[in-house]
Amino acid sequence: LYGSHDLVVMDGGSRFELVGACCDGAAGVAGGAPARLVAVTGTDPIALAATYALVKATAQRPGIGSTELLVNRADGETAARTFALADEAARQFLGRPLVLAGSLPDDACLDLALRAGMTLLDAAAGSPAAAAAHELATRLLAPAGGPGSRGRMPAAPYRVMR
């Protein structure tokens, strides 16, 4: 993935073989700029441990630039506390600081709609989580010259690769 994209978002709880396969191909994007990794984590200790493992596995790989942390299902204050724990561990044990990408709020209405069988697209319409996700994606994929910009903006706002 890294050879083709300048921003990769990966869940910290991903299976390690997927993390390894993703990282094995890391060579940076065309033009030599290293890819940004956005690691998604939850706030519980297991999620943080899995995210730390992801950061550790990617820390010394060529082609991987900054690592940003996105805290899922958390308000701003909880996300800041979660980030502080992860950043402290990354600095102390890996000698690598993290960057806080932001947080996505817990959204009870979205959960209920999904459990009722609605599609994610329909369930998320107008929800606080969807609005926060859109704002985050817009910021992370800012056009050339914008904050966090790497000079490329995809043709579509964003695309999920599996």
Side-chain angles (χ1 to χ4, degrees):
L1 292 176
Y2 285 94
S4 302
H5 304 283
D6 59 353
L7 175 70
V8 175
V9 179
M10 185 175 283
D11 189 306
S14 296
R15 293 190 324 250
F16 191 75
E17 63 271 12
L18 295 177
V19 172
C22 177
C23 295
D24 287 343
V29 294
R36 292 165 47 210
L37 170 67
V38 176
V40 181
T41 189
T43 59
D44 62 278
I46 294 171
L48 280 171
T51 301
Y52 176 80
L54 170 63
V55 171
K56 183 176 180 180
T58 60
Q60 301 304 318
R61 302 291 179 141
I64 298 174
S66 67
T67 300
E68 300 176 42
L69 192 69
L70 171 62
V71 184
N72 194 24
R73 304 185 101 173
D75 60 41
E77 184 179 317
T78 303
R81 285 195 312 268
T82 301
F83 170 77
L85 292 170
D87 184 52
E88 181 181 350
R91 286 174 189 269
Q92 182 175 350
F93 299 113
L94 304 175
R96 181 182 183 112
L98 301 177
V99 175
L100 180 59
S103 64
L104 296 175
D106 194 15
D107 190 336
C109 293
L110 178 60
D111 285 343
L112 289 172
L114 291 172
R115 289 182 185 163
M118 292 178 73
T119 66
L120 179 59
L121 190 58
D122 291 336
S127 74
H134 179 75
E135 185 278 325
L136 175 73
T138 301
R139 187 169 34 82
L140 289 173
L141 299 172
S149 171
R150 299 259 322 263
R152 295 189 328 181
M153 183 69 173
Y158 41 86
R159 181 173 93 195
V160 176
M161 306 274 307
R162 292 197 189 267

